[in-house]
Amino acid sequence: MSRDHPQSAERSATAPAPVPAPAAAARGRARSGAGQDTVGSAEAPFLELLVRGASAEAYEQPALLARADGLPAGRVAALEQAKLLALRVRSEIEGRRRREAELSALFETAHDLAGLRDLDAVLRAIVQRARSLLGTDIAYLSLNDPARGDTYMRVTEGSVAARFQQLRLGMGEGLGGLVAQTARPYVTDDYFRDERFQHTHTIDTGVRDEGLVAILGVPLTLGHHVIGVLFAADRRARVFEREQIALLGSFAALAAAAIDTANLLAETRSALAGLERANEIIQDRSAVIERASDVHDRLAELVLRGGGVHDVAAAVSEVLDGTVEFAEAAGAPAHALETSRAEGHAVRHGQDWIAAVAAGDELLGALVLRGHPGLDPVDQRTLERAAMVTSLLLLARRSAAEAEHRVRGELLDDLLDARDRDPRLLRERAARLHADLDTTHVVLAARLEGGTADADREADARRRLWSAASHLAATRHGLAAARDGGTVLLLPVTPGEPATDLARRTARHLGTAVHEPVTVGASAPVRQLTARPDTVAAAYAEARRCLDVLRLLGRTGDGSAAEDFGFLGLLLAGERDVAGFVDRTIGQVVAYDERRGTELLRTLDAYFACGMSPARTKDELHVHVNTVAQRLERVGRLLGPDWQSPDRALETQLALRLHRLSAVTRPPAPA
């Protein structure tokens, strides 16, 4: 638009109205050239407009002023001709600028490709730049999945509908299927009225949820094969120009090159890793005899200074340059363990080696060497010697360990049942077991899930669970006892450590030790165990409730605490933390609305009420669909990318309802 400056001096009532400066200048030039009907003299005002970068409408002004001033027809015609030439020049300049921006984006993408480190980051940059340059509401990229025989969404930019982002399409379906079949670009200015491609309920539902109307798709090709499709789409009718189709095709070529480059890099890295591994094996074989001598000296030293089973495993791990672990007999592969005991040698099991730790006919456990399928014979003999030393250490310490386990169990029983015991005496008993009852602890209820009709086998399995739990409690400076057909543990936790993490680690550890699924429920962290008589008992009851819920949900062999169950945790916990649940679930959205005065919570309510469809949500809120999309994009940044998954969506809806109820029931602030 032209910049018009009004005259500042006052004029009389009979004076003519002030003329804007650019218009006056144009009128002056038109008058001065009234006698010269040449194109050259008529071009001057248009050259100034070109220099200023004026809008297309401003180019009509010189001819209009000439007509208004009654200039000769030749002069007016010359101005009209100059106007057409100037508009052509202006269009050419804008086209060059646009092509310069497109080339710059392509060069930047190619530069990213040259330093490719993260394929997903490069593909996201391609989709973002394509969306920006074409000025579309959304851009996305799909890749073919040869294993499943379909195609899936890989990257989206501007999408807000969860169902659309998770689309998987059969080959030949939708506009993308047509592009993949013909390896040619296709465009539609009204998707739902276009009959050139196969419509399906799944695709149409996803497109309708996203509110898309105009869609452009171009193929991603490697050689003669189509590996995917790059799309640009609008939520309104639109005609895509030939230059825009060509530009998107260029981005598709870069995306295909990025995928091809990533595949080549992966193959190269794999080959290099193989070469490095071969070199390591050669070096290991040259030093194998030296290691055998070294391990003999180390094992002898361990026995003399009273080392433990894990000390032996650590020493052998260092000598064999691998990971050696001690496993209880029930936690080792049964067939490999029995073969090793019968033959007296270490045996291979998959990628591992198993050496039985035995005393006569009794299996005490096994030493497991992880990830060494090609073990050297000298190293194999080293592992067997370590197993013999381990059996001697276990026999020597068995009686002492059983006595300590009984003492730990009795102390935990007193904490659960004998609530009138002297707190000072309880602390002293715990201190002798290297346990500190004044630190923060979690109570865990553990139970075996591999039930059997054989009473003797079930009793043996429970004893093994108690033994494994007692061993874990001793290593963690905690307590363990057999109770209610299972085992109860009292383990310390570090500040900030979630009880759920401890429960899951305990379930995995005990399950591995007894070679059967073990389910573990955990209480919330408790403190000052001796201050209140019922602290440990109440925590144990909460852990039992979590254990029962895990079994009802079919999550046997897993571990969890009340905090892991979302809104169900409100029912499991000893104290109902409604405010904490709401804050953990939608607290960031509430805070954002309060700071910015936005309506993200209201939009979330409407979105869920409308079946998570942006198209219906905009009708409910009486706003444009792009406004809904922008708000939901902001919600996604605040709540995380999986906020629309079924579990998260359910918790979010409950949190919204609890937030509304708390707002209604909250007493008014004092005046």
Side-chain angles (χ1 to χ4, degrees):
M1 296 179 62
S2 61
R3 301 182 180 88
D4 297 339
H5 303 285
Q7 300 287 341
S8 58
E10 293 186 0
R11 298 177 181 269
S12 64
T14 59
V19 179
R27 179 169 293 174
R29 285 189 296 272
R31 287 170 177 169
S32 65
Q36 303 175 10
D37 296 337
T38 65
V39 175
S41 61
E43 290 176 348
F46 298 106
L47 290 175
E48 291 188 7
L49 292 175
L50 286 171
V51 170
R52 294 203 329 261
S55 65
E57 291 80 4
Y59 286 75
E60 301 292 340
Q61 195 175 44
L64 292 175
L65 291 174
R67 288 191 182 92
D69 289 343
L71 297 182
R75 176 61 178 172
V76 173
L79 289 171
E80 288 287 353
Q81 183 179 356
K83 177 192 74 175
L84 296 177
L85 290 173
L87 287 174
R88 287 174 58 187
V89 171
R90 179 180 181 276
S91 176
E92 182 67 22
I93 292 173
E94 290 184 346
R96 289 176 183 270
R97 288 174 179 167
R98 184 172 60 253
R99 285 191 291 275
E100 180 182 352
E102 294 169 355
L103 286 173
S104 176
L106 289 173
F107 283 135
E108 289 175 3
T109 306
H111 181 269
D112 291 345
L113 214 59
L116 177 65
R117 292 295 180 271
D118 183 356
L119 176 61
D120 286 337
V122 173
L123 294 181
R124 281 195 298 272
I126 289 172
V127 171
Q128 289 168 357
R129 288 167 183 161
R131 178 193 180 196
S132 175
L133 284 177
L134 269 66
T136 56
D137 295 326
I138 177 175
Y140 50 101
L141 183 148
S142 68
L143 291 180
N144 296 345
D145 187 343
R148 295 182 55 170
D150 62 3
T151 184
Y152 64 96
M153 290 290 185
R154 177 63 184 271
V155 182
T156 64
E157 174 68 18
S159 170
V160 296
R163 185 155 35 190
F164 181 80
Q165 297 168 12
Q166 299 165 5
L167 276 180
R168 293 192 74 99
L169 317 175
M171 292 297 185
E173 296 177 353
L175 184 142
L178 188 61
V179 173
Q181 281 183 339
T182 62
R184 295 175 55 190
Y186 271 84
V187 62
T188 176
D189 56 2
D190 193 336
Y191 173 83
F192 291 100
R193 294 185 181 180
D194 200 326
E195 301 297 332
R196 290 177 299 168
F197 43 82
Q198 178 185 351
H199 287 266
T200 68
H201 175 73
T202 301
I203 303 174
D204 286 358
T205 301
V207 173
R208 187 173 287 107
D209 277 357
E210 195 64 58
L212 302 182
V213 177
I215 304 176
L216 165 63
V218 296
L220 279 70
T221 57
L222 287 178
H224 298 291
H225 300 287
V226 178
I227 63 170
V229 181
L230 179 61
F231 298 88
D234 260 348
R235 296 186 176 95
R236 62 186 186 281
R238 169 178 178 169
V239 176
F240 287 95
E241 309 253 347
R242 182 177 303 173
E243 293 81 2
Q244 295 173 324
I245 298 174
L247 175 61
L248 194 64
S250 298
F251 276 114
L254 290 175
I259 295 169
D260 192 33
T261 301
N263 291 337
L264 292 174
L265 284 174
E267 293 174 3
T268 303
R269 292 191 185 107
S270 178
L272 288 174
L275 291 174
E276 291 175 359
R277 179 61 185 154
N279 186 51
E280 290 174 1
I281 292 174
I282 293 172
Q283 293 177 355
D284 287 344
R285 291 186 66 85
S286 66
V288 68
I289 302 300
E290 183 180 348
R291 291 203 305 271
S293 175
D294 181 47
V295 75
H296 180 273
D297 295 340
R298 292 190 182 206
L299 293 178
E301 182 185 356
L302 280 174
V303 173
L304 293 174
R305 64 180 175 86
V309 171
H310 296 286
D311 295 324
V312 173
V316 178
S317 296
E318 185 176 349
V319 171
L320 298 183
D321 194 20
T323 301
V324 177
E325 299 173 351
F326 174 78
E328 299 287 346
H335 178 70
L337 184 60
E338 181 59 34
T339 302
S340 175
R341 186 194 65 80
E343 296 180 357
H345 296 293
V347 298
R348 181 176 169 181
H349 178 73
Q351 299 293 308
D352 305 332
W353 282 84
I354 309 295
V357 176
D361 293 332
E362 182 183 4
L363 280 172
L364 303 177
L367 286 184
V368 183
L369 174 61
R370 305 287 187 189
H372 270 267
L375 190 63
D376 186 276
V378 177
D379 287 342
Q380 180 179 345
R381 184 59 181 160
T382 297
L383 184 63
E384 293 164 1
R385 287 174 180 162
M388 294 175 60
V389 173
T390 302
S391 64
L392 294 173
L393 293 175
L394 286 175
L395 290 174
R397 289 167 174 75
R398 175 183 285 180
S399 58
E402 289 178 352
E404 182 181 341
H405 292 167
R406 284 194 297 271
V407 173
R408 290 180 182 275
E410 291 169 359
L411 175 56
L412 182 53
D413 284 335
D414 286 346
L415 287 171
L416 287 167
D417 300 328
R419 304 174 187 175
D420 56 347
R421 292 296 180 99
D422 184 349
R424 181 179 58 82
L425 294 177
L426 291 174
R427 290 194 189 94
E428 290 178 356
R429 290 169 60 188
R432 287 194 292 269
L433 296 171
H434 305 289
D436 183 1
L437 298 182
D438 292 325
T439 63
T440 303
H441 286 72
V442 168
V443 178
L444 303 109
R447 180 171 297 176
L448 285 166
E449 298 299 339
T452 175
D454 189 329
D456 291 337
R457 291 183 60 186
E458 184 170 352
D460 180 63
R462 289 181 180 178
R463 281 193 296 272
R464 287 188 281 109
L465 175 62
W466 174 79
S467 177
S470 298
H471 179 73
L472 175 63
T475 58
R476 288 289 305 269
H477 304 293
L479 305 174
R483 200 174 188 86
D484 298 325
T487 302
V488 55
L489 298 94
L490 180 68
L491 298 180
V493 291
T494 58
E497 180 183 5
T500 294
D501 291 350
L502 178 60
R504 287 175 177 164
R505 288 199 306 273
T506 303
R508 288 195 299 269
H509 179 92
L510 296 179
T512 301
V514 303
H515 203 52
E516 290 185 29
V518 176
T519 307
V520 177
S523 73
V526 291
R527 300 171 182 82
Q528 298 178 342
L529 305 183
T530 59
R532 292 188 304 172
D534 60 344
T535 299
V536 179
Y540 176 56
E542 181 180 331
R544 285 287 306 277
R545 288 195 295 271
C546 287
L547 175 63
D548 292 339
V549 170
L550 282 171
R551 301 178 75 189
L552 287 173
L553 294 176
R555 290 174 55 184
T556 55
D558 196 4
S560 189
E563 64 186 23
D564 191 41
F565 292 101
F567 67 89
L568 287 178
L570 299 177
L571 307 177
L572 300 175
E575 298 180 359
R576 307 292 188 260
D577 185 15
V578 174
F581 169 73
V582 172
D583 184 64
R584 288 191 301 271
T585 307
I586 60 171
Q588 293 193 36
V589 178
V590 174
Y592 189 90
D593 272 354
E594 290 175 350
R595 290 196 310 269
R596 305 293 182 88
T598 53
E599 296 188 342
L600 298 186
L601 282 177
R602 180 167 171 256
T603 303
L604 263 181
D605 263 332
Y607 181 59
F608 286 121
C610 294
M612 302 175 73
S613 170
R616 292 196 293 273
T617 303
K618 60 100 175 173
D619 295 331
E620 176 70 18
L621 298 176
H622 304 292
V623 298
H624 194 273
V625 69
N626 281 347
T627 301
V628 174
Q630 292 166 3
R631 292 178 181 177
L632 294 179
E633 276 190 281
R634 173 59 62 183
V635 170
R637 295 193 190 100
L638 294 172
L639 298 185
D642 64 335
W643 73 276
Q644 298 191 78
S645 64
D647 291 343
R648 290 286 308 278
L650 178 60
E651 292 186 6
T652 302
Q653 292 177 72
L654 177 62
L656 287 169
R657 186 161 298 182
L658 291 173
H659 179 70
R660 288 199 304 271
L661 290 174
S662 65
V664 171
T665 58
R666 188 183 303 122

